[in-house]
Amino acid sequence: MSQPQKCFVDQVTAPIKLVDVLPPGRASSLRQLSTVQDIKECLDTTEQVDYSHRHLSICQKTSWSPIQVTRELLDLFVSKHGISESFWELPSCFYHRNDDIEINYCLPVSVNRVGSSVETYYTIRYPELKPSSGKWVIRQSGLYFRLDSSTSQSVSVLISPTINSAAHQKIENLILGVAGSTALQSPLHIHRVLFAAYFPAWRPYIASLERRLLPETSTTFATFIEEPLRVGYDNLSSLTSLDNQFLQASTLVTHGEDAIRELSAAFGQEPTPGALEVVEALDNYRRQAVACCRTATFLQRRAQTTAQLLADTLSFRDQILAKQQNSSMLQLNKSAVFLTTLTLLYLPASFVATFFGMNFFDLDQESQRIVSTPMIWIYIVSSVLLTLVTFVVYYWVLHHDDAIVNSMSPKVHVGDWRILARRALSMRDSTKKLENMSV
């Protein structure tokens, strides 16, 4: 299988460790190789050595970077040991990433039988606590294993997400510690050590998520609509994040359970000494996986229920506030209607009194009659012009109200706009997520 260049590096900067286990009575050899010339010389000099097991350990610098090996170097190792082309599916899962694409994908257990050899390869994902930050991260490791029953030789390749990972150290200690003993006749223990190094971390990881969930759940269930709310849309975002993490945990644990089941079924058919012991150990990890998966599924449903309850609480609270605002607006409307009625009642009398109180009119003392000045047209013209100007200004404001409102509104800093935008987007995403939730 042709691999993209991004799966490998152009220059190796981390050591590649090759461990050879020689037959009983001879010591194990540990070699660190980092160039094509080194591995070629090692393979050429040990080509005739009757080793019982050969283990190659390579790694990534970070979980999102390519593996620290060149394509030429790994291709040389594959060709020297007659490894099938399907092996390249394993390194294809380790490549440079800039986003979360395939972050939850795991290569399923694949078993190939070629003559007297049986090849097995797969990847697993697991949580790991970073000592520097105290945060949990999801990492990936891959293992290739081939056992030739005719020669009793086995070859394994471990791909780790970091230098000197837990599985790398434990497998290396296992191989070096049992060199020359009869326990080496069961190299299948490498699979057991891989799961033993990482699988127990699922329980504390799920427990850490549960510790974050319980305060949110307690606060949400103790909230009353009539009282001031102690929760808001930020809590809803946290619950949605926990829901996604529980879903991811149950998915990855389920894959681990499937991988263990497939390995147990494959090893149960092998006549290799110690295979039964490995199968029993794997079955124990499978039972732990079932328990962790059930716990993660339960907590995910609990997070969904809490999120739905919180969303309903916030919605009802908004409805109560809207109802209170409507009541206030109704009261204001009643006051406006009352003032309008009073205005209509007193306006005619006020207009008549104002009109006849102007200097355009006077009382003739001799005839006892009201006389008007010929200049009254000034009042009529001024009133008509003022009325026209009023209607023109009203029409302009009606069609340019956005510009006026923006100029009169208080200025908001760019940082505040960014905060408001992120909050609006999170609220929209949370709403869409809750619409798809099943309680």
Side-chain angles (χ1 to χ4, degrees), residues 270-319:
E270 297 295 333
T272 307
L276 180 60
E277 180 183 353
V278 174
V279 170
E280 291 177 350
L282 291 178
D283 285 341
N284 291 331
Y285 289 118
R286 181 184 60 81
R287 297 183 185 98
Q288 294 181 15
V290 172
C292 291
C293 184
R294 289 175 180 173
T295 303
T297 302
F298 167 76
L299 292 175
Q300 180 199 0
R301 293 177 180 175
R302 187 173 183 179
Q304 289 180 349
T305 304
T306 306
Q308 185 63 51
L309 176 61
L310 178 56
D312 294 340
T313 302
L314 295 175
S315 178
F316 291 150
R317 183 63 176 179
D318 292 340
Q319 293 179 12

Side-chain angles (χ1 to χ4, degrees), residues 178 181-187 189 273:
V178 300
S181 66
T182 57
L184 188 59
Q185 297 177 0
S186 180
H189 279 281

Side-chain angles (χ1 to χ4, degrees), residues 225-275:
I225 300 178
E226 297 81 4
E227 299 178 356
L229 297 182
R230 295 178 294 170
V231 291
Y233 289 100
D234 293 339
N235 302 89
L236 191 58
S237 301
S238 300
L239 288 171
T240 305
S241 175
L242 287 172
D243 178 24
N244 292 332
Q245 290 178 288
F246 284 127
L247 177 61
Q248 181 189 45
S250 61
T251 301
L252 297 182
V253 172
T254 300
H255 167 76
E257 178 191 353
D258 293 339
I260 294 175
R261 183 183 295 108
E262 295 292 336
L263 292 174
S264 299
F267 297 159
Q269 301 175 1
E270 297 295 333
T272 307

Side-chain angles (χ1 to χ4, degrees), residues 16-20 29-31 33 42 54-56 77:
I16 303 174
K17 293 190 177 182
L18 179 67
V19 180
D20 282 347
S29 61
L30 174 62
R31 297 179 178 88
L33 309 176
C42 175
R54 171 166 288 175
H55 178 71
L56 177 67
F77 181 86

